[in-house]
Amino acid sequence: MTDSDTKARLLAAYDQQLRTDAETPSALAVKELGPLRLVKFLGGRGFITYQDLAGADEQGIRGLVEAAVSHFEGQPAITKVEWKTRGHDHAPGLHEALIANGFTEDDPESIMIGEARALSTAVALPHGVALREVTDEADVRAMSAMQDEVFGEPVSDEMADALLHRLSLDDGMQLWVAEADDQIVSAGRLEPVPGTAFAGIWGGATRAEWRGKGIYRALTARRAQAALEMEKTLIHSDSTEFSRPILERSGLLKVSTTTPYRWARS
């Protein structure tokens, strides 16, 4: 099978298995609007996704965007919304409609998919660095704060609260960190997707001074091993340009792109 055939097979699995309720396991509420799924999360976050746009033309897509914004404008508790686009979708005029309705475009990320066993090989860690799964509140808050710092965001309780809520659901999500001298230097989570062959690896972050030492690769391998223990055979991730090359070296393939568009209540 050629790389092109493999990418087509993996992308089809992604569209069929992941672009469903499986995409939003921690949603507080989901409303269907035509092909759209309008999702409410903790912390006043809204999210818009879909399996496809049902063949809508430019005018139809503009109407969907306007209706989605109207829905969230009518919910004062929602302060920000993400519309998740995919590069392989047929979506005429979507970018223009989103910009016209107050969304701003983020940087695109690569949709990476591959076999869990390709990532699960042993990776040597630098001396003094160890991996462990975290579940205690103090550890989760320390992990979340480190990720905020690495991503250049103000340290906040929002993500930590969401992760602690997820852990309380006992839905299989795992949080993993790498530590050196009692400091978290890298972190990421594993999210098995019920009813599918997939587990997602998310939130990968490594402090700048610890990059290039194989720590993120080791953390990825350990999460892949945990996925296999759950009988998940495929790994998926939306990757920045920092993590994409690492995942490619581990055998994952870039099958498409995803670009978030963000709306904030004025």
Side-chain angles (χ1 to χ4, degrees), residues 35-49:
L36 304 182
R37 298 174 62 252
L38 310 181
V39 184
K40 179 180 179 180
F41 287 121
L42 281 173
R45 295 182 297 128
F47 183 70
I48 302 168
T49 187

Side-chain angles (χ1 to χ4, degrees), residues 17-230:
Q17 297 184 43
L18 296 182
R19 298 179 71 175
T20 65
D21 284 340
E23 190 175 6
T24 52
S26 58
L28 298 178
V30 179
K31 175 182 173 59
E32 293 186 357
L33 176 66
L36 304 182
R37 298 174 62 252
L38 310 181
V39 184
K40 179 180 179 180
F41 287 121
L42 281 173
R45 295 182 297 128
F47 183 70
I48 302 168
T49 187
Y50 39 88
Q51 194 162 52
D52 58 54
L53 290 168
D57 60 12
E58 188 170 340
Q59 181 177 351
I61 286 174
R62 186 165 58 249
L64 287 171
V65 174
E66 291 169 354
V69 171
S70 178
H71 167 78
F72 284 116
E73 282 181 334
Q75 299 189 52
I78 299 295
T79 59
K80 53 189 175 183
V81 178
E82 176 186 341
W83 184 301
K84 186 179 178 74
T85 71
R86 276 82 168 191
H88 63 285
D89 284 344
H90 177 69
L94 177 58
H95 168 81
E96 292 78 9
L98 290 169
I99 297 301
N101 281 276
F103 286 84
T104 58
E105 182 182 10
D106 271 7
D107 293 334
E109 297 182 346
S110 299
I111 299 174
M112 308 293 294
I113 304 180
E115 304 287 341
R117 65 176 183 271
L119 275 77
S120 64
T121 55
V123 179
L125 284 164
H127 177 72
V129 177
L131 306 182
R132 70 182 176 100
E133 184 182 359
V134 298
T135 57
D136 291 345
E137 179 174 352
D139 287 333
V140 173
R141 294 198 181 280
M143 168 185 166
S144 181
M146 185 279 291
Q147 290 171 315
D148 283 341
E149 292 170 9
V150 169
F151 292 134
E153 302 288 342
V155 174
S156 73
D157 291 330
E158 182 179 317
M159 181 53 70
D161 289 342
L163 292 174
L164 289 165
H165 173 69
R166 284 291 304 282
L167 287 173
S168 74
L169 299 176
D170 194 24
D171 62 3
M173 182 191 75
Q174 296 182 357
L175 305 177
W176 286 87
V177 301
E179 290 176 313
D181 296 326
D182 295 323
Q183 180 191 48
I184 296 175
V185 299
S186 185
R189 69 185 187 273
L190 174 72
E191 297 201 18
V193 184
T196 76
F198 283 93
I201 53 175
W202 302 103
T206 304
R207 293 187 184 277
E209 65 270 26
W210 287 93
R211 292 174 191 160
K213 302 177 186 296
I215 297 173
Y216 177 75
R217 194 154 50 90
L219 197 65
T220 298
R222 184 62 188 90
R223 286 180 288 169
Q225 291 163 14
L228 288 169
E229 291 164 7
M230 300 175 189

